[in-house]
Amino acid sequence: MTPKYRYLLIYGDGGHANALREIIGHHTITICGDEWKTSRHLSDKIVIGVGLVREHPKRTVLFNGMKEKGYSFPNVIHKSAQIEDSAKLGVGVQVFANAVISSNVVIGDNCIINSGAIISHDCVLGDNVHAAPGGVLGGDVVIGRDTLLGIGCTILPGIKICKNSFIRIGENVIANI
Amino acid sequence: MTPKYRYLLIYGDGGHANALREIIGHHTITICGDEWKTSRHLSDKIVIGVGLVREHPKRTVLFNGMKEKGYSFPNVIHKSAQIEDSAKLGVGVQVFANAVISSNVVIGDNCIINSGAIISHDCVLGDNVHAAPGGVLGGDVVIGRDTLLGIGCTILPGIKICKNSFIRIGENVIANI
Amino acid sequence: MTPKYRYLLIYGDGGHANALREIIGHHTITICGDEWKTSRHLSDKIVIGVGLVREHPKRTVLFNGMKEKGYSFPNVIHKSAQIEDSAKLGVGVQVFANAVISSNVVIGDNCIINSGAIISHDCVLGDNVHAAPGGVLGGDVVIGRDTLLGIGCTILPGIKICKNSFIRIGENVIANI
């Protein structure tokens, strides 16, 4: 369950931001463009509602800039997501419907685990990783920071993927990258 | 949750029809063949229990004929399906276990969203679309009517697929069709 | 829900065994190597916590040996798994988060239905089958014993796969094997 925040800012007004609004389930304050630079008096809690693949680097830049300004980043977690107690999540993590985060997984800051994505036991995801809908990671996978895992991709157990990687839609990863 | 109907007809006696019966969870009246043409005195509510890919055109023909006869088409929704409040569903829609229908999605009449299929935010599905188990649509995808999305297929965000299309099992769609 | 057992043995101390421990949710006794041959005085209930693909034959050998020693094999089922009432499960079956087992499915002994795997209506799985995370079986599929279904594989409705088969990660099976 997502904790209830008063005065929660959401950056962005596209489909990803709207999906987050619906998960949060109460009124939020929408900001766009450079407004976050001057909106900290409205709230110090912010959710980055930018999800598209082509906007991925933007998420990292925004997170770093907002962190410097003193914002904090609540996690937004769909009520149907399955997250084991032993999993450790960073800040600003977004977990969508029916996603699975299994035992002893570590998820970095500012990650998106999108609808139905499966992160098996003992995986480690760096900061700013976006696991798109329906991707499946076997156990003990390590994903470097700022990496995009495309829709429905699959990754063999034990694989390591370096930072700034881009796994394509439906790609089956069977060797380290 | 599926609303409770007395005197609900189910057309078909194969595996798909049985799966629907189990979701509905109470007694129903099974009809086959051309019986629907003369069974309206038993009930005016009917569920089309034909799911196989090769029977897909049959679903559309049945729906149109039954509609003309004055039947109405209750939605059948598995208790574990995740459907956001902002999503709009037509009539005669069947949503199976662990399927996800995200925010602002529009689903036409007589569609099947099968087990574990994921329909991301802002997708629009025309009438009589069958999303087979485990398929994953990115955000803002548009699917034309009478289209079959095969098991485990993936579709990039923003893609448009025209009516009467057939996406194969495991196919990754990265351009408009 | 997993029934509560006192004195439940778990064989193995890797990631798969830990994931099972977390599903079971109370203290268990860990044994490794050949300890099961002499541990029956501790408990007669045992869970085989070996999941890796390369260790698959080991699961069958262990199960047969333990059965001969008189152990029984409780099923371990994640609270989010969707299993229809009409499905029949053998003993020693492990079902992980958000897995789907649809109507009239038959699952043999010592099977693993891993996270998010979908077993559609009327499928029959022999003993010792491991359906890895995110795999999707259409309806009426028959899987022979000791078979591995790789991560994210897809199988057309009605397909038959013979015993001791190995379906690769992301493989799309469209003909009998």
Side-chain angles (χ1 to χ4, degrees), chain B residues 3-48:
Chain B
K4 296 277 176 280
Y5 296 99
R6 290 183 72 181
Y7 309 117
L8 179 62
L9 304 179
I10 297 202
Y11 180 89
D13 58 1
H16 185 76
N18 286 332
L20 289 165
R21 262 179 212 99
E22 194 152 4
I23 295 174
I24 294 168
H26 61 109
H27 67 278
T28 49
I29 304 168
T30 299
I31 58 172
C32 291
D34 283 344
E35 288 180 299
W36 61 272
K37 293 181 181 172
T38 54
S39 299
R40 208 178 158 297
H41 64 287
L42 295 172
S43 170
D44 64 349
K45 293 187 174 58
I46 195 162
V47 171
I48 302 178

Side-chain angles (χ1 to χ4, degrees), chain A residues 3-154:
Chain A
K4 297 277 176 280
Y5 296 99
R6 288 184 73 180
Y7 309 116
L8 179 62
L9 303 179
I10 296 202
Y11 180 89
D13 57 2
H16 185 76
N18 286 332
L20 290 165
R21 262 177 213 102
E22 195 152 4
I23 295 174
I24 294 167
H26 61 108
H27 67 280
T28 50
I29 303 168
T30 299
I31 58 171
C32 291
D34 283 344
E35 289 180 299
W36 60 272
K37 294 180 179 171
T38 55
S39 299
R40 209 178 156 299
H41 63 287
L42 295 173
S43 171
D44 64 348
K45 294 186 175 57
I46 195 162
V47 171
I48 301 178
V50 175
L52 276 183
V53 163
R54 63 172 182 270
E55 293 180 298
H56 186 68
K58 193 176 170 184
R59 281 183 62 83
T60 304
V61 173
L62 282 170
F63 182 82
N64 293 338
M66 290 168 176
K67 197 175 171 186
E68 214 163 88
K69 278 277 183 196
Y71 286 102
S72 65
F73 303 87
N75 291 348
V76 179
I77 295 172
H78 195 276
K79 66 184 189 299
S80 66
Q82 299 297 322
I83 304 175
E84 297 295 342
D85 288 344
S86 61
K88 289 183 182 60
L89 274 60
V91 300
V93 174
Q94 302 169 358
V95 187
F96 284 79
N98 278 349
V100 173
I101 298 177
S102 193
S103 61
N104 296 306
V105 165
V106 178
I107 307 273
D109 295 337
N110 198 32
C111 285
I112 301 175
I113 311 300
N114 222 316
S115 304
I118 298 170
I119 315 296
S120 295
H121 61 79
D122 301 290
C123 286
V124 178
L125 277 63
D127 297 336
N128 316 308
V129 169
H130 181 174
V136 187
L137 281 61
D140 296 294
V141 164
V142 179
I143 307 288
R145 53 179 298 138
D146 295 289
T147 287
L148 269 162
L149 306 172
I151 292 176
C153 72
T154 60

Side-chain angles (χ1 to χ4, degrees), chain B residues 1-3 23 75-81 83 89 93-96:
Chain B
M1 295 292 168
T2 307
I23 295 174
N75 291 348
V76 179
I77 296 172
H78 195 277
K79 65 184 190 298
S80 66
I83 304 175
L89 274 61
V93 174
Q94 302 170 358
V95 187
F96 284 78

Side-chain angles (χ1 to χ4, degrees), chain B residues 83-161:
Chain B
I83 304 175
E84 296 296 342
D85 289 343
S86 61
K88 288 183 183 59
L89 274 61
V91 300
V93 174
Q94 302 170 358
V95 187
F96 284 78
N98 277 350
V100 174
I101 299 177
S102 192
S103 62
N104 297 307
V105 165
V106 178
I107 307 274
D109 295 338
N110 197 31
C111 285
I112 301 175
I113 311 299
N114 222 316
S115 306
I118 297 170
I119 316 296
S120 295
H121 62 79
D122 301 289
C123 286
V124 178
L125 277 63
D127 297 336
N128 317 307
V129 169
H130 182 174
V136 187
L137 282 60
D140 297 293
V141 165
V142 179
I143 308 288
R145 53 180 297 139
D146 296 288
T147 287
L148 271 162
L149 306 172
I151 292 176
C153 71
T154 60
I155 305 181
L156 267 189
I159 288 287
K160 289 185 193 346
I161 293 179

